[in-house]
Amino acid sequence: MNWDKYSRFYDWEFDLVCSEQKEDVKLWQKLAIQYGEPILEICCGSGRITKELAKLDLKITALDNSEKMLAKLRSLQLKNVEVIKADMRDFALNRKFNFIFISYSSFQQLLTLEDQKQCLQTIKRHLAEDGKLALDISPFTLEGSNILSRSHLFTAEYPPHHSTISMFTSHEIDWLNGIKHWQDEYLEIDNAGEKRIWQNRISLKHCSRDYLKLLFTVCGYETEMIFGDFDCGEVKINSKNLIFLAHKRKR
Ligand SMILES: C[S@@+](CC[C@H](N)C(=O)[O-])C[C@H]1O[C@@H](n2cnc3c(N)ncnc32)[C@H](O)[C@@H]1O
């Protein structure tokens, strides 16, 4: 996905269509208070969660590899927030954190086992001995069949451009590699009737509960708990989010 290109729409679209995912903020606030500073948020994006943690006066290092997403976060001028542009697979901050987290399925943007292992090993080097790592995973990535012809998702006002945007999407599943590829299209019509089309692709790798537990073991972690919702409830067959909490395996 080209997050720099999509950054203009992210907060607007999230606000419009992600009413359930929005509830994750209270979980990250709770875990951040429980496990304490220093905190590293990976794939922080434009700071949707970062800014809510900053309100609690917590010291946060926020990392992402999209300059445009980070520019939005920087523009908030949050005190206690350090912003770092880096790839989640390969960064070196020369310090350790008590709590590291990746929200909103962002870990699933790593599409190969190699990338996933590299990321978890990099994180391990930044995790304090008793530190905790938390990941929010969507277990239903491969649900449904291919929808190859674009379908209309919503039409809404886009205040920054005084325009109206209709969003269309289609997706294709790569069953062999367990990856879903979305192709999104935003048709924008401004006040003067001028049309503009923006396109974007996003791909997410399926991670089941057992797969991720095994991945943690292979990378030297122990899974401590798995929550099935943002209230730290138990995992159910229809849980839309799995929140994994892990720590480094002791020798
Ligand atoms: C769905 S957004 C999540 C933003 C924010 N955490 C939230 O929940 O609103 C995913 C973010 O992951 C970032 N990202 C994707 N691949 C990355 C990588 N390899 N390293 C660091 N950040 C990455 C993107 O730039 C984007 O900001």
Side-chain angles (χ1 to χ4, degrees):
M1 175 133 182
N2 185 337
W3 284 97
D4 276 346
K5 205 169 112 192
Y6 176 66
S7 61
R8 75 186 81 219
F9 297 133
Y10 180 75
D11 294 302
W12 166 78
E13 186 177 346
F14 187 92
D15 214 41
L16 211 60
V17 296
C18 298
S19 55
E20 289 181 16
Q21 187 68 35
K22 260 180 212 169
E23 298 297 313
D24 64 355
V25 166
K26 63 181 181 214
L27 170 83
W28 300 121
Q29 285 185 322
K30 180 179 163 172
L31 297 181
I33 290 170
Q34 190 170 342
Y35 299 121
E37 305 164 312
I39 296 165
L40 173 61
E41 180 186 358
I42 296 176
C43 295
C44 61
S46 50
R48 180 178 69 85
I49 295 161
T50 327
K51 64 182 183 218
E52 302 303 328
L53 300 187
K55 281 182 192 161
L56 303 176
D57 267 342
L58 291 164
K59 195 168 164 221
I60 304 138
T61 299
L63 180 150
D64 199 285
N65 71 348
S66 160
E67 189 50 53
K68 292 259 172 74
M69 292 292 269
L70 290 178
K72 291 188 142 204
L73 170 55
R74 285 196 190 97
S75 73
L76 303 176
Q77 298 191 318
L78 302 170
K79 69 176 172 69
N80 283 345
V81 174
E82 174 193 30
V83 178
I84 291 183
K85 179 171 187 267
D87 193 296
M88 64 174 137
R89 292 164 292 186
D90 181 22
F91 58 90
L93 307 180
N94 297 320
R95 67 211 126 103
K96 307 234 186 224
F97 297 85
N98 283 327
F99 183 50
I100 302 182
F101 72 97
I102 309 183
S103 71
Y104 193 16
S105 317
S106 298
F107 181 76
Q108 292 171 263
Q109 295 174 101
L110 300 175
L111 303 182
T112 65
L113 176 61
E114 219 29 65
D115 282 350
Q116 293 174 333
K117 281 162 76 177
Q118 214 186 327
C119 175
L120 289 178
Q121 275 149 7
T122 299
I123 290 175
K124 196 149 60 96
R125 288 194 291 278
H126 292 81
L127 200 57
E129 273 325 293
D130 293 317
K132 310 286 179 194
L133 166 65
L135 302 185
D136 170 15
I137 296 294
S138 162
F140 292 125
T141 321
L142 299 186
E143 267 236 319
S145 48
N146 287 339
I147 300 185
L148 299 176
S149 55
R150 51 174 223 164
S151 60
H152 174 251
L153 268 197
F154 63 83
T155 295
E157 301 286 307
Y158 183 59
H161 290 179
H162 306 291
S163 60
T164 302
I165 292 182
S166 297
M167 198 266 192
F168 302 86
T169 189
S170 59
H171 64 248
E172 190 168 7
I173 298 173
D174 169 356
W175 290 103
L176 200 57
N177 294 299
I179 298 171
K180 192 170 193 172
H181 302 282
W182 283 266
Q183 173 83 47
D184 295 337
E185 192 171 292
Y186 299 81
L187 169 64
E188 180 171 19
I189 305 179
D190 68 18
N191 282 342
E194 288 289 317
K195 289 185 183 169
R196 205 166 164 187
I197 291 176
W198 313 80
Q199 283 175 330
N200 224 333
R201 292 176 64 87
I202 183 160
S203 301
L204 292 183
K205 169 104 173 150
H206 177 62
C207 290
S208 71
R209 178 181 171 164
D210 289 342
Y211 176 90
L212 207 60
K213 270 174 85 171
L214 192 56
L215 185 63
F216 274 140
T217 305
V218 167
C219 294
Y221 293 84
E222 261 174 40
T223 303
E224 200 170 301
M225 251 178 297
I226 309 173
F227 303 123
D229 58 42
F230 301 131
D231 291 316
C232 301
E234 63 184 36
V235 176
K236 300 198 179 113
I237 192 113
N238 57 350
S239 289
K240 288 189 180 152
N241 295 76
L242 297 181
I243 300 99
F244 280 73
L245 198 63
H247 58 252
K248 288 203 260 194
R249 193 166 52 238
K250 309 268 189 277
R251 289 170 185 239

